Amino acid sequence: DIQMTQSPSTLSASVGDRVTITCRASQSISSWLAWYQQKPGKAPKLLIYKASSLESGVPSRFSGSGSGTEFTLTISSLQPDDFATYYCQQYNSYTWTFGQGTKVEIK
Amino acid sequence: QITLKESGPTLVKPTQTLTLTCTFSGFSLSTSGVGVGWIRQPPGKALEWLALIYWDDDKRYSPSLKSRLTITKDTSKNQVVLTMTNMDPVDTATYYCAHSSRPGYPFDYWGQGTLVTVSS
């Protein structure tokens, strides 16, 4: 199985901050990585696919980068609506895997 | 407009088999490339990928749960069914179904999820 490890687990930030979340794969997944945002009681929402492609309708302050085993999600200027939990997911292998999540809290 | 909705029991007893149905609209599971998957999330915990079925009946399962899972599709009814045997309290979770538009694409549409509690 490919394991996905996110860091940090929790991040405290203020509105306007630049925020970066890291996701590491236990083996190379090329660019087959997605990022999701999840708010309490809601289904996840796709933000980024293929490591750096912005899903339609997602604000441009979200960006993704990386390939191989190391990936990042960056929020260029944190907005009140962005306080949520973020998950990475690999879909390179025959089976898919999520990271353990990063909760972005208000500082 | 693509929508998905999960249905099934809200409470199951330990050792029982869980059967969940994902009923969808706005796409066909006979269209080349399309897939529907199942994901679960225990209360307060992370997402866990369970299974995925493609338009061509290619089926994939989480290695850790493979022996307990079966995913099937009924294209005529626009449904995907997931069964999980030998349920245990640790399987208590919100279960989601989700859509993938094409190979090399993750889950772009999700159902609202259904909470399944395992308790005697």
Side-chain angles (χ1 to χ4, degrees):
Chain A
D1 302 15
I2 298 177
Q3 308 303 318
M4 306 302 293
T5 304
Q6 288 183 234
S7 60
S9 297
T10 306
L11 186 161
S12 296
S14 302
V15 173
D17 284 353
R18 181 181 182 88
V19 166
T20 298
I21 299 168
T22 298
C23 180
R24 289 187 174 87
S26 60
Q27 62 190 73
S28 178
I29 57 170
S30 185
S31 295
W32 303 112
L33 184 100
W35 290 97
Y36 298 87
Q37 177 193 67
Q38 188 181 32
K39 296 183 179 179
K42 299 295 186 181
K45 172 188 174 183
L46 178 63
L47 300 175
I48 302 282
Y49 64 96
K50 212 171 179 185
S52 60
S53 296
L54 195 67
E55 174 72 350
S56 177
V58 173
S60 59
R61 63 180 180 272
F62 291 93
S63 64
S65 65
S67 65
T69 61
E70 188 148 340
F71 303 86
T72 59
L73 172 70
T74 300
I75 309 172
S76 60
S77 178
L78 199 64
Q79 298 302 300
D81 192 48
D82 301 338
F83 291 97
T85 299
Y86 294 84
Y87 292 93
C88 63
Q89 180 206 17
Q90 68 81 17
Y91 54 104
N92 172 72
S93 67
Y94 188 77
T95 58
W96 297 5
T97 324
F98 287 94
Q100 82 278 19
T102 296
K103 185 175 182 179
V104 177
E105 297 181 327
I106 300 172
K107 191 171 183 180
Chain B
Q1 177 193 0
I2 290 176
T3 64
L4 305 98
K5 188 172 184 179
E6 307 85 354
S7 60
T10 58
L11 178 66
V12 297
K13 290 180 167 46
T15 76
Q16 287 187 336
T17 294
L18 171 68
T19 299
L20 293 173
T21 300
C22 176
T23 303
F24 55 84
S25 63
F27 68 95
S28 171
L29 202 37
S30 59
T31 299
S32 179
V34 172
V36 172
W38 286 93
I39 306 96
R40 72 177 179 180
Q41 185 172 39
K45 296 189 177 181
L47 301 167
E48 180 181 15
W49 182 85
L50 299 177
L52 177 61
I53 188 166
Y54 282 108
W55 86 102
D56 60 356
D57 214 37
D58 176 12
K59 301 173 185 178
R60 302 170 183 204
Y61 298 101
S62 166
S64 62
L65 293 168
K66 184 175 182 178
S67 64
R68 299 173 54 205
L69 296 174
T70 303
I71 190 169
T72 59
K73 62 181 175 68
D74 187 330
T75 304
S76 65
K77 292 183 179 179
N78 281 351
Q79 291 181 334
V80 170
V81 174
L82 181 76
T83 61
M84 181 180 292
T85 62
N86 195 24
M87 293 292 285
D88 183 271
V90 300
D91 296 314
T92 294
T94 295
Y95 287 76
Y96 296 98
C97 63
H99 164 276
S100 171
S101 297
R102 57 189 183 272
Y105 201 73
F107 295 126
D108 50 359
Y109 294 91
W110 292 62
Q112 64 190 25
T114 185
L115 176 61
V116 178
T117 301
V118 184
S119 174
S120 55

